[in-house]
Amino acid sequence: MEIKLSSVRVLEARDLALPQVKGLSQNRLLQHLLFWFVYVSFFGLLYGSYIDDYYNAFMVELVELPFKMALVYFNMYYLMPVYLLRKKHLEFFVYLLLLMGAIGALMQYVLMPLLIHPLICPTTCTEDNMSLYRFVRNIVNINYVVAITAVIYLLKNWYRHQQASQNLAKGKLEAELQFLKGQIHPHFLFNTLNSLYSLTLKKSDTAPEVVLKLSGLMDYMLYDAAAAKVALEKELNYIQNYLSLERIRYADRVDISYTETGRMAGLKIAPMLLLPFIENAFKHGVSTETANAWIRIDLKVQDGELVLLVENSKYENAVKQQKQDIASGIGLKNVRRRLDLLYEGQYSLEVEDEPESYAVRLELTLENE
């Protein structure tokens, strides 16, 4: 009980600490306050070092701050979204310049004589501060903060669009992968149920074993195969169960050879990725042949690299039909697309179509668990 209570206290402490850590990155008010604090501090120190009077410099910055803030937020939340982002560049720059001129005139000819000159710098402020030259300098000074905030706004807007595009692309990719995987499941189930149907017609004693193995395969497809990656050992066990079903189905009609070499533990692979190669060997290579049919499956793993070689015999009268089936088969088309999406630049796929045999060789770089 003490352990459980300690765990709860740790979780509570962690949950209380997280908002403090994430507060600045998620709180827009704090971000804005920090920006204006840094802005006033930087330009106050800069201007103060220039006139050698830091108090007056900071006081002037603080007095002018509300007007600069009004200009900045009006620009970011109205002018830029309404005109600049809609590519109305001329209207944007005209309105912005007019607004900056109005704010500059307000600060120069209202704030300076009525507030800044009499209260902040009655001795240091001179007539030169009321001149046209000073007015132009104020406009340039205002331009700094407008430019800085505009760049920040555009960068954030670009980042949001990039994130939205990436999320959209990711969503489309996941939807396509789920669609391709969903096509494989019923395709395999259809073939297996056909096998079971043929066994029940023959009243074979192996039908119950087929049902049991099929149940295990369905469990894998419904639960394990729903993940993005599964342990390689699970995928290979799934293939072995599939081969067991096919051995029951074909009995002595087909010579099936399957070998595994290498270290499989600790590696991951996309589920249902290897089966279509093996399934097509049965479907298009030996399903209608009555004698001398064979399938060879050789799987090697070395240093995280998987090499799968699947070969099957071909019978002369069905070569043309086999080529058409392979070219239009759902399984191989899907697996090629899934390889492109999941293992781009990390796989090679070679097909050898000989007069009496058909071979597929896949080399794939696997991930560690």
Side-chain angles (χ1 to χ4, degrees):
M1 179 62 71
E2 180 61 29
I3 294 176
K4 292 182 178 179
L5 291 176
S6 299
S7 300
V8 171
R9 284 195 290 270
V10 170
L11 288 173
E12 290 176 348
R14 184 187 65 184
D15 293 340
L16 290 174
L18 285 176
Q20 297 175 3
V21 175
K22 297 181 179 179
L24 181 60
S25 63
Q26 295 181 346
N27 192 315
R28 294 183 63 192
L29 178 61
L30 288 178
Q31 293 175 355
H32 286 234
L33 290 175
L34 178 62
F35 170 81
W36 290 114
F37 174 78
V38 172
Y39 172 81
V40 171
S41 300
F42 176 78
F43 283 97
L45 291 172
L46 184 66
Y47 185 56
S49 64
Y50 176 73
I51 64 174
D52 198 22
D53 189 344
Y54 291 99
Y55 173 77
N56 284 347
F58 275 100
M59 290 301 297
V60 170
E61 287 294 335
L62 289 174
V63 170
E64 294 179 347
L65 185 62
F67 298 92
K68 293 179 180 178
M69 292 176 64
L71 174 62
V72 164
Y73 289 122
F74 185 79
N75 177 52
M76 287 197 305
Y77 295 114
Y78 180 75
L79 292 181
M80 295 183 74
V82 173
Y83 296 103
L84 184 61
L85 297 184
R86 297 181 181 178
K87 302 186 183 304
K88 299 179 180 180
H89 301 125
L90 179 61
E91 293 92 334
F92 168 75
F93 286 110
V94 169
Y95 291 142
L96 180 60
L97 289 174
L98 290 175
L99 191 59
M100 289 174 60
I103 295 295
L106 180 64
M107 294 189 332
Q108 178 75 16
Y109 300 111
V110 177
L111 280 183
M112 180 63 72
L114 298 181
L115 181 62
I116 296 177
H117 186 278
L119 299 181
I120 298 177
C121 52
T123 57
T124 57
C125 294
T126 63
E127 291 297 327
D128 178 66
N129 290 323
M130 303 293 293
S131 65
L132 179 62
Y133 170 76
R134 184 65 182 180
F135 172 73
V136 174
R137 288 189 59 184
N138 282 342
I139 296 296
V140 174
N141 185 29
I142 295 173
N143 183 63
Y144 290 147
V145 66
V146 173
I148 293 170
T149 53
V151 169
I152 294 175
Y153 176 86
L154 291 174
L155 288 175
K156 289 182 66 177
N157 185 72
W158 173 84
Y159 178 76
R160 284 196 298 267
H161 278 81
Q162 288 294 106
Q163 289 293 103
S165 298
Q166 290 178 5
N167 291 336
L168 181 61
K170 183 179 178 181
K172 288 182 177 179
L173 176 62
E174 291 177 351
E176 184 175 0
L177 287 171
Q178 290 299 322
F179 173 73
L180 294 174
K181 192 189 298 182
Q183 283 185 315
I184 293 173
H185 292 183
H187 190 217
F188 162 76
L189 181 60
F190 175 78
N191 292 341
T192 307
L193 288 176
N194 274 343
S195 301
L196 180 60
Y197 176 68
S198 64
L199 290 174
T200 55
L201 287 179
K202 299 175 183 178
K203 298 182 180 179
S204 172
D205 294 335
T206 59
E209 183 182 353
V210 172
V211 173
L212 183 62
K213 289 186 177 295
L214 179 59
S215 175
L217 294 177
M218 291 297 295
D219 181 75
Y220 176 83
M221 288 193 301
L222 291 173
Y223 298 104
D224 294 298
K229 298 290 175 63
V230 296
L232 178 61
E233 292 172 308
K234 285 188 175 182
E235 182 76 2
L236 297 184
N237 184 63
Y238 173 76
I239 290 175
Q240 291 173 15
N241 286 336
Y242 173 82
L243 291 176
S244 298
L245 288 175
E246 295 292 25
R247 285 190 177 99
I248 294 172
R249 176 186 177 189
Y250 289 103
D252 297 331
R253 288 170 49 204
V254 180
D255 179 18
I256 302 173
S257 172
Y258 175 78
T259 59
E260 282 182 14
T261 56
R263 183 177 179 273
M264 315 296 174
L267 297 174
K268 297 190 299 182
I269 190 172
M272 306 288 290
L273 189 68
L274 304 180
L275 179 68
F277 298 110
I278 300 170
E279 188 180 12
N280 274 274
F282 282 97
K283 180 180 179 182
H284 303 300
V286 302
S287 60
T288 58
E289 192 169 2
T290 58
N292 301 321
W294 55 269
I295 290 178
R296 303 285 184 267
I297 303 166
D298 183 20
L299 189 142
K300 299 178 182 178
V301 176
Q302 184 176 4
D303 298 328
E305 296 287 331
L306 179 146
V307 179
L308 174 68
L309 178 63
V310 181
E311 298 178 277
N312 61 268
S313 58
K314 291 163 58 175
Y315 58 102
E316 184 177 355
N317 294 332
V319 169
K320 183 177 179 180
Q321 181 62 39
Q322 179 188 349
K323 290 181 178 179
Q324 294 174 353
D325 290 343
I326 291 173
S328 61
I330 292 175
L332 289 183
K333 277 189 174 181
N334 282 357
V335 77
R336 281 182 183 275
R337 180 57 179 160
R338 290 183 71 201
L339 285 168
D340 288 336
L341 294 174
L342 295 173
Y343 294 97
E344 183 179 5
Q346 297 179 321
Y347 83 95
S348 66
L349 183 61
E350 300 176 359
V351 176
E352 294 183 4
D353 193 359
E354 300 295 337
E356 297 181 355
S357 66
Y358 186 84
V360 175
R361 179 185 174 88
L362 171 68
E363 297 183 9
L364 182 66
T365 302
L366 301 177
E367 298 179 12
N368 292 319
E369 286 187 298

